[in-house]
Amino acid sequence: MTEPKIIQANEIDENSNDNQTPPGIKVTLSDGSYYYDNRTDEEMSAAAAEIMKDWDKENPEEAAAIDLRIDNKYKYRKLGIYYQEIPKDYLHQQSYEARLAKAEALNGCKFKASRPYKSKAWGEPMDRVLHDKDGGFGNLCDGQIATLGRLNGFVTSLFILQILSLISAVCVVPFVAPLWVIPLLLLLMIGMNYFKNVVECYDQFVFERHTGLVKTPHNWFRRSFYIPYEDIECYDGGTVKSARGGGARETAKIRCLKTPKRYYLFAPQYILRFGGLSQGGWAGYLEFMDIDMPVNPKLHRSIEYYYTIDKNALETGPFPAVMKQYLDPDDKQVNREHVW
């Protein structure tokens, strides 16, 4: 097999009239050097096959799972169910105006338009279109709902209390209180960890594809509410770096374009969990809410996961019954070309 020849950037004058550039595909490396891949299609295919063979040997369980998924797809095609159409009457089929009225009925009050928003820190709203077909988000979805967590909520507060309990047990109590307080603080820390799992569902945005509405997270002094997905925007806050050269995290914020009149004076805003949300991820959530297109295939694995554990994406109830028609009960795998 012919090995690609590595040529440094300063070894070729590409502006020269001399025919010194070898044929092939130019591949630029991260250090500025590049090489020309002169292999034929057959040689490149053989090299790729060799790499896959080595990967299969190093990861036998993952390779077997991939082979099984492929075999199952062939089976679904052979049975004639892979391309079979399923009725989609469970989708809302309602206009924006009808869904806005439904949200107001659920909230118990009318909406008012939020004030115009300008912020140098948060910049402009993210683009709402998914440009890369392989983009989007890849988990936290059961086919009917998709969830998105916020930062400034109950889980974050409980985590801070856990840290304070640990610091108090190790650094404070031994000097100012009886030692029997230490195990109490440690038990409290463990209990809060369990309680975090209970309240986590209240810190989530719930994108409900079947109704076209988004349910916002609960707040400390304000209840959650429903709003059409067209009336929320996401802002990229950039990268926040830790002090003294520590780690860095992406940030993002969601803001509502409409405000419930009864219990919100200002436009509701929510900081998303550390890690933020990319433009592709945000557009992926909006694409998930668009009932004119099937669910992104990237989400099929997540749907299968929640089907396997028989939980919805919030893990507060059973897997949606209407979504079970898209999965094989024995293989626990999506058996259709498209999920709607």
Side-chain angles (χ1 to χ4, degrees), residues 80-147:
I81 61 175
Y82 189 70
Y83 301 106
Q84 190 177 37
E85 291 290 333
I86 293 178
K88 297 178 285 186
D89 52 357
Y90 54 85
L91 297 175
H92 59 81
Q93 301 296 341
Q94 292 179 320
S95 65
Y96 164 77
E97 289 75 16
R99 287 182 286 114
L100 180 63
K102 184 175 182 179
E104 290 177 338
L106 291 170
N107 297 336
C109 66
K110 294 284 187 179
F111 282 105
K112 62 181 179 181
S114 301
R115 294 178 181 177
Y117 180 71
K118 290 186 178 180
S119 170
K120 293 182 179 179
W122 293 99
E124 296 296 321
M126 288 186 186
D127 191 352
R128 302 171 70 91
V129 179
L130 187 62
H131 301 290
D132 184 358
K133 65 181 180 63
D134 295 325
F137 68 105
N139 56 8
L140 305 176
C141 170
D142 59 21
Q144 178 174 343
I145 64 173
T147 62

Side-chain angles (χ1 to χ4, degrees), residues 20-304:
Q20 55 180 334
T21 303
I25 301 172
K26 182 178 179 180
V27 181
T28 304
L29 304 176
S30 58
D31 61 358
S33 63
Y34 57 85
Y35 66 89
Y36 291 87
D37 196 338
N38 303 313
R39 294 174 295 175
T40 63
D41 291 342
E42 291 78 11
E43 290 173 331
M44 294 176 72
S45 297
E50 193 68 28
I51 292 173
M52 287 301 301
K53 188 184 296 183
D54 293 339
W55 186 88
D56 290 347
K57 291 179 180 178
E58 295 172 0
N59 308 274
E61 293 183 2
E62 295 178 34
I66 292 173
D67 290 340
L68 179 60
R69 293 186 66 85
I70 295 173
D71 292 341
N72 286 339
K73 280 193 175 183
Y74 281 119
K75 179 178 68 175
Y76 306 145
R77 290 188 178 97
K78 188 176 180 181
L79 292 173
I81 61 175
Y82 189 70
Y83 301 106
Q84 190 177 37
E85 291 290 333
I86 293 178
K88 297 178 285 186
D89 52 357
Y90 54 85
L91 297 175
H92 59 81
Q93 301 296 341
Q94 292 179 320
S95 65
Y96 164 77
E97 289 75 16
R99 287 182 286 114
L100 180 63
K102 184 175 182 179
E104 290 177 338
L106 291 170
N107 297 336
C109 66
K110 294 284 187 179
F111 282 105
K112 62 181 179 181
S114 301
R115 294 178 181 177
Y117 180 71
K118 290 186 178 180
S119 170
K120 293 182 179 179
W122 293 99
E124 296 296 321
M126 288 186 186
D127 191 352
R128 302 171 70 91
V129 179
L130 187 62
H131 301 290
D132 184 358
K133 65 181 180 63
D134 295 325
F137 68 105
N139 56 8
L140 305 176
C141 170
D142 59 21
Q144 178 174 343
I145 64 173
T147 62
L148 176 63
R150 64 162 177 172
L151 175 66
N152 51 334
F154 306 119
V155 172
T156 303
S157 301
L158 288 171
F159 177 74
I160 293 173
L161 289 175
Q162 280 184 297
I163 297 298
L164 293 176
S165 298
L166 179 62
I167 293 174
S168 299
V170 174
C171 302
V172 179
V173 171
F175 303 101
V176 300
L179 294 180
W180 56 263
V181 177
I182 295 177
L184 289 180
L185 288 172
L186 295 178
L187 287 174
L188 179 63
M189 185 178 66
I190 295 172
M192 282 190 290
N193 190 63
Y194 171 78
F195 193 55
K196 277 197 306 183
N197 297 331
V198 175
V199 301
E200 186 173 11
C201 61
Y202 298 106
D203 275 346
Q204 304 290 328
F205 283 93
V206 181
F207 291 77
E208 168 61 272
R209 174 176 167 87
H210 294 182
T211 62
L213 300 177
V214 178
K215 186 179 181 182
T216 63
H218 286 256
N219 217 325
W220 285 107
F221 306 107
R222 294 171 296 200
R223 52 181 276 195
S224 63
F225 61 91
Y226 294 87
I227 188 170
Y229 72 93
E230 294 93 338
D231 286 325
I232 54 178
E233 288 182 334
C234 188
Y235 295 81
D236 182 9
T239 302
V240 176
K241 295 184 178 180
S242 302
R244 299 182 180 180
R249 296 179 182 273
E250 300 295 326
T251 58
K253 176 172 72 173
I254 284 182
R255 184 175 186 271
C256 298
L257 299 179
K258 285 183 169 58
T259 305
K261 286 184 177 181
R262 181 174 295 176
Y263 44 94
Y264 277 85
L265 292 176
F266 304 102
Q269 303 180 40
Y270 305 88
I271 307 298
L272 299 183
R273 294 263 174 94
F274 276 134
L277 188 66
S278 66
Q279 186 277 329
W282 171 238
Y285 277 99
L286 300 180
E287 181 193 66
F288 173 73
M289 297 294 286
D290 187 352
I291 61 171
D292 291 329
M293 59 180 67
V295 174
N296 193 320
K298 281 190 66 175
L299 298 173
H300 288 185
R301 291 290 187 97
S302 179
I303 295 172
E304 293 164 359

